[in-house]
Amino acid sequence: MTAQGTTTVEKSLQKVLEKLESARKMQGDWMKNGINFVDLYVDNAGSDWLEEWGKAEEDLEVDKNRSVSVESVKVAIDFPDFQNTQLLEIALNHRSHTDDFSDRLSESPTWQDIKYQRQALLGATIFGAVLTDYLYRKYPNLDRNAISALKSRLADHKQISEFALDLNLNQLKSCGKNGKKMDKKEDNKFLSETFYAVFGAIYLECDRDFDRAGTWLIERFIDQAVSDNICLIELPKNSPKGAAKRRAILGGDVLEAIAIDYLYNSFPERSATQLTHWKNILVTKDIFPKEFKAKLGSQYLELGSNFSRTRDWLVDNFIKTAVDELVEETGNQLN
């Protein structure tokens, strides 16, 4: 063996002996001092370090479960390259879980719920506009009443909850607050809200691209659901006089979607209830000319059913000014 090799072995043996001596000393201290020996080896041992250690273990488990849930949803929605995973975390953080997982997003449970409700509102509103746009374009003979009837069926909590089940979102829920089991009605509402929040996440991940998010929704759910339900409603043939009413229902949903989209992005700290309240004020303000919804429907169609261009036009010509006036009138209080 070379001199260098001998030196290396000697150093290794020395380290082993040092560790053995440390172990013997710790054992001796334990025998001498009992459980109090931990004071000699743990800083601030008199504090709640054991409790904090346990909490850290729980946090790691929560993070692990959250990561698994997010990855599962990415697979279910067929968005493997979904970048802003925090949006999915928000969507999976329904208030019925907040009491049990108050540290999921390192923010207060109240704020977690606000973000969840905001995202669900955005998703539900964009969903409504996508559905109406689809029915208007694919079924030109449907009158306003038939479109409304189909919308009611497809936006029903029971139907939306079935969409949620298709994404396996039911695996992320079990009980409501305080461990109380939810009844079927509450369960459907919970699942539909979660689905809307997930779709809101998809819409935002698509950089608010209505066409891209809408295409995902139509191909994954709406096309088949409409085919399954259209035979269940009365289908009167649309008349020329009903054309304006058809455009009005289209324009109405486009108006609501653009209003919520604008408010959501302009006021990130406002609750869903506040955004809805302001949206209701906006869509009924006298800034819009008579029969504006039908005219907006026409404008939307003239722009090639391009939601982004329609949004820019509507915001620049009406909504931004109206919102600025409301902010001034209310002192920036959305109440």
Side-chain angles (χ1 to χ4, degrees):
M1 182 180 293
T2 64
Q4 183 178 1
T6 301
T7 301
T8 301
V9 171
E10 289 176 348
K11 287 182 178 179
S12 297
L13 287 173
Q14 182 62 33
K15 289 181 180 179
V16 170
L17 290 173
E18 289 174 356
K19 290 181 179 180
L20 182 59
E21 181 60 29
S22 295
R24 286 173 176 169
K25 185 176 185 304
M26 180 180 289
Q27 185 179 32
D29 289 333
W30 188 358
M31 297 295 292
K32 180 180 178 181
N33 300 295
I35 190 63
N36 293 328
F37 92 101
V38 75
D39 292 325
L40 302 174
Y41 296 92
V42 178
D43 292 336
N44 200 24
S47 67
D48 56 353
W49 64 274
L50 186 58
E51 180 180 343
E52 291 297 324
W53 186 11
K55 186 175 183 300
E57 291 283 322
E58 292 176 1
D59 289 344
L60 287 173
E61 186 65 22
V62 168
D63 288 340
K64 177 183 176 182
N65 292 337
R66 180 177 64 199
S67 177
V68 170
S69 297
V70 168
E71 291 304 315
S72 297
V73 172
K74 286 168 66 175
V75 172
I77 64 178
D78 196 22
F79 263 75
D81 58 344
F82 201 105
Q83 297 298 312
N84 193 351
T85 56
Q86 188 180 38
L87 294 171
L88 294 178
E89 291 175 10
I90 292 171
L92 302 181
N93 186 47
H94 186 267
R95 61 177 174 269
S96 65
H97 290 298
T98 303
D99 290 343
D100 298 324
F101 302 105
S102 59
D103 296 328
R104 285 184 68 172
L105 299 179
S106 68
E107 295 180 359
S108 71
T110 299
W111 183 235
Q112 291 177 40
D113 188 49
I114 287 174
K115 292 196 293 186
Y116 167 83
Q117 295 292 342
R118 281 168 49 85
Q119 198 163 291
L121 171 65
L122 178 66
T125 309
I126 299 299
F127 176 96
V130 169
L131 177 56
T132 301
D133 175 75
Y134 172 83
L135 293 173
Y136 184 95
R137 289 185 292 106
K138 184 157 185 177
Y139 298 94
N141 291 327
L142 292 183
D143 67 3
R144 181 183 64 177
N145 293 333
I147 291 176
S148 295
L150 273 171
K151 281 181 57 184
S152 295
R153 282 184 171 276
L154 269 67
D156 178 74
H157 284 322
K158 184 176 183 298
Q159 177 64 73
I160 301 300
S161 69
E162 291 178 5
F163 296 163
L165 291 174
D166 187 73
L167 297 179
N168 296 319
L169 298 181
N170 58 311
Q171 296 180 8
L172 304 172
K173 63 88 189 173
S174 56
C175 298
K177 285 188 175 181
N178 302 319
K180 182 181 178 181
K181 192 74 175 179
M182 291 185 288
D183 61 27
K184 188 62 177 176
K185 184 177 180 181
E186 292 173 326
D187 191 47
N188 286 340
K189 184 175 185 294
F190 161 75
L191 285 172
S192 61
E193 280 186 348
T194 304
F195 177 84
Y196 283 139
V198 169
F199 180 59
I202 291 172
Y203 175 70
L204 294 171
E205 173 70 12
C206 292
D207 198 23
R208 298 161 64 202
D209 187 329
F210 183 85
D211 289 337
R212 185 181 171 199
T215 297
W216 175 88
L217 185 65
I218 290 167
E219 292 180 351
R220 188 65 183 269
F221 296 106
I222 288 181
D223 193 49
Q224 185 60 52
V226 170
S227 297
D228 293 341
N229 284 274
I230 197 167
C231 61
L232 303 176
I233 65 169
E234 185 179 352
L235 298 175
K237 199 166 185 179
N238 187 41
S239 65
K241 292 183 179 180
K245 294 180 179 179
R246 274 171 48 87
R247 290 195 300 272
I249 195 171
L250 173 64
D253 279 356
V254 169
L255 173 59
E256 293 212 358
I258 291 174
I260 287 294
D261 176 87
Y262 179 79
L263 292 170
Y264 178 95
N265 287 280
S266 299
F267 301 93
E269 297 184 357
R270 302 302 183 179
S271 71
T273 300
Q274 292 170 319
L275 297 184
T276 301
H277 176 63
W278 248 27
K279 180 265 297 181
N280 291 337
I281 294 176
L282 282 175
V283 299
T284 57
K285 279 183 73 69
D286 55 9
I287 60 169
F288 299 117
K290 186 178 180 181
E291 299 179 351
F292 180 74
K293 292 179 180 179
K295 293 176 181 178
L296 178 60
S298 297
Q299 178 72 9
Y300 176 71
L301 295 171
E302 288 175 10
L303 292 174
S305 299
N306 188 306
F307 185 85
S308 296
R309 291 177 63 193
T310 306
R311 177 175 58 203
D312 292 343
W313 175 83
L314 186 62
V315 168
D316 291 343
N317 288 280
F318 297 98
I319 289 182
K320 186 178 185 305
T321 300
V323 169
D324 290 344
E325 290 176 355
L326 281 175
V327 169
E328 185 175 349
E329 291 171 6
T330 61
N332 199 27
Q333 297 298 314
L334 295 181
N335 296 316

